[in-house]
Amino acid sequence: MALIDMMQAVLENSGLLALWQTVAPWLALDERQLIFVVATPIFVGVTLWEYLKIRHDPALMDTREAVRNFALGAGYQTTELLFAGIIAFPVYALCYHFRLFDLELNWFTAFLTFLGVDFCFYWMHRASHRMRWFWAAHVVHHSSERMNFSTAMRQNATNIFNGMWMFYLPLALIGFNPVWIGVAYAFSLVYQFFIHTTLVGRLPAWVEKVFNTPSHHRVHHGRNPGYIDRNYGGTLILWDRLFGTFVDEDAKDPPEYGITRPVASNNLIVLWTHEYVDLFRDMQQPGGLLSRLKHLWKPPEWQRPAAKEPGQEHAQTDPATDNP
């Protein structure tokens, strides 16, 4: 028996092949995270290049924070890989089973998939600023007071649990394959990594008109009153122009990064959960069940009159200033 046959026999008798046949479809469904994981070394390399450019300016770069941002991103990737197959993908499979159309993959439907994902991302992102339950997960991305490539990695490990993935379900119902929805979403995330920087100024006018750019995204991360809750686009900025949420970067009003209620901790668990703690604390205030539940879908700054008592000046301000 050849050595390769012996090795094959060991593998077959181990039971791992049967396990792989179960796991492989799961991983295939999560192509989005696999693409993101594969791209991470590129992100690290680009971040190191940027670090060499701005490391002497503490307003732009803090080494410990950059490392912390990648740790936050690693937590996000881990929970997505472990739980997306259990939580989200069965729902996508159900929607796709009852799809309205059978769409073959070609260049045209691939473009429609990209366009549909970008459109859904806009509304998901907008909701994650204007609905407190979603904001509770998204806030970590905005809580840094610096704008650099590592900030793009600053994500919440709870994302898979709070349901923002549901915004893409209509695409599966229409007939877009969930695997390709995930692929389009992953490439959108890869693109968005590169717009988290202060090193790139204005791009050619036609690019600024159509695409989300570093200039547009700096506005999105600004807590300046005029910048809060603006420029939600993923790859395209067209949706913001269409739905009235676009604001141009003003050289006379440079973005001040961060959220309106800064987090007084660098602990990863606190960064991931502090807004959930505030949310549930507000829901515990006296009142009827419906009034308490309203905190889940009302904007982050919303407070019930009954909750505004002495000593509760922490009341949420605007979400985008608490926003990405």
Side-chain angles (χ1 to χ4, degrees), residues 51-111:
Y51 173 79
L52 295 175
K53 295 282 187 179
I54 62 177
R55 67 185 185 279
H56 300 302
D57 188 344
L60 298 178
M61 174 62 70
D62 178 273
T63 305
R64 289 173 297 181
E65 182 182 74
V67 172
R68 187 161 53 248
N69 289 345
F70 274 88
L72 290 166
Y76 158 76
Q77 289 187 13
T78 300
T79 55
E80 290 282 327
L81 281 170
L82 290 177
F83 296 105
I86 299 173
I87 297 173
F89 296 146
V91 185
Y92 274 94
L94 182 65
C95 290
Y96 187 67
H97 178 76
F98 293 103
R99 61 191 179 275
L100 298 176
F101 306 101
D102 289 314
L103 302 177
E104 294 183 8
L105 183 65
N106 53 46
W107 287 108
F108 180 65
T109 56
F111 174 73

Side-chain angles (χ1 to χ4, degrees), residues 132 261 273-287 291-292 295-296 302-304 306-309 311-316:
R132 195 172 177 189
R261 295 183 299 114
T273 62
H274 69 92
E275 184 63 20
Y276 290 107
V277 172
D278 288 349
L279 167 61
F280 292 127
R281 181 178 59 200
D282 287 341
M283 292 177 70
Q284 289 175 351
Q285 296 299 319
S291 64
R292 293 181 185 218
H295 286 284
L296 295 172
W302 181 81
Q303 289 288 293
R304 288 178 285 146
K308 291 183 178 178
E309 300 173 0
Q312 264 201 296
E313 287 80 25
H314 82 283
Q316 315 290 359

Side-chain angles (χ1 to χ4, degrees), residues 159-176:
N159 278 8
I160 187 61
F161 305 110
N162 83 335
M164 287 189 282
W165 48 267
M166 291 188 293
F167 283 84
Y168 303 90
L169 290 176
L171 296 177
L173 279 171
I174 291 171
F176 294 99

Side-chain angles (χ1 to χ4, degrees), residues 98-254:
F98 293 103
R99 61 191 179 275
L100 298 176
F101 306 101
D102 289 314
L103 302 177
E104 294 183 8
L105 183 65
N106 53 46
W107 287 108
F108 180 65
T109 56
F111 174 73
L112 289 181
T113 303
F114 155 74
L115 206 61
V117 166
D118 206 63
F119 178 76
C120 292
F121 178 91
Y122 171 86
W123 289 106
M124 179 275 292
H125 197 181
R126 186 166 176 170
S128 71
H129 280 248
R130 301 309 297 149
M131 298 176 70
R132 195 172 177 189
W133 171 250
F134 296 128
W135 174 242
H138 190 52
V139 63
V140 66
H141 180 64
H142 280 272
S143 57
S144 172
E145 296 185 350
R146 296 172 181 84
M147 181 67 156
N148 53 59
F149 288 132
S150 77
T151 307
M153 304 300 293
R154 193 180 177 96
Q155 301 292 336
N156 202 319
T158 70
N159 278 8
I160 187 61
F161 305 110
N162 83 335
M164 287 189 282
W165 48 267
M166 291 188 293
F167 283 84
Y168 303 90
L169 290 176
L171 296 177
L173 279 171
I174 291 171
F176 294 99
N177 190 293
V179 170
W180 296 109
I181 294 171
V183 168
Y185 177 75
F187 282 120
S188 174
L189 291 183
V190 170
Y191 175 88
Q192 290 179 60
F193 172 86
F194 294 100
I195 60 177
H196 289 81
T197 184
T198 58
L199 292 182
V200 178
R202 296 275 185 161
L203 297 174
W206 72 269
V207 177
E208 297 283 343
K209 285 284 186 183
V210 176
F211 294 98
N212 197 7
T213 65
S215 175
H216 299 329
H217 207 59
R218 286 192 291 268
V219 167
H220 178 70
H221 275 261
R223 61 185 175 190
N224 316 42
Y227 291 167
I228 291 174
D229 292 337
R230 295 293 182 265
N231 297 3
Y232 295 118
T235 302
L236 303 175
I237 203 65
L238 295 175
W239 313 118
D240 289 282
R241 296 184 184 278
L242 180 62
F243 297 113
T245 53
F246 175 75
V247 167
D248 213 354
E249 185 178 25
D250 186 352
K252 296 179 181 178
D253 186 22

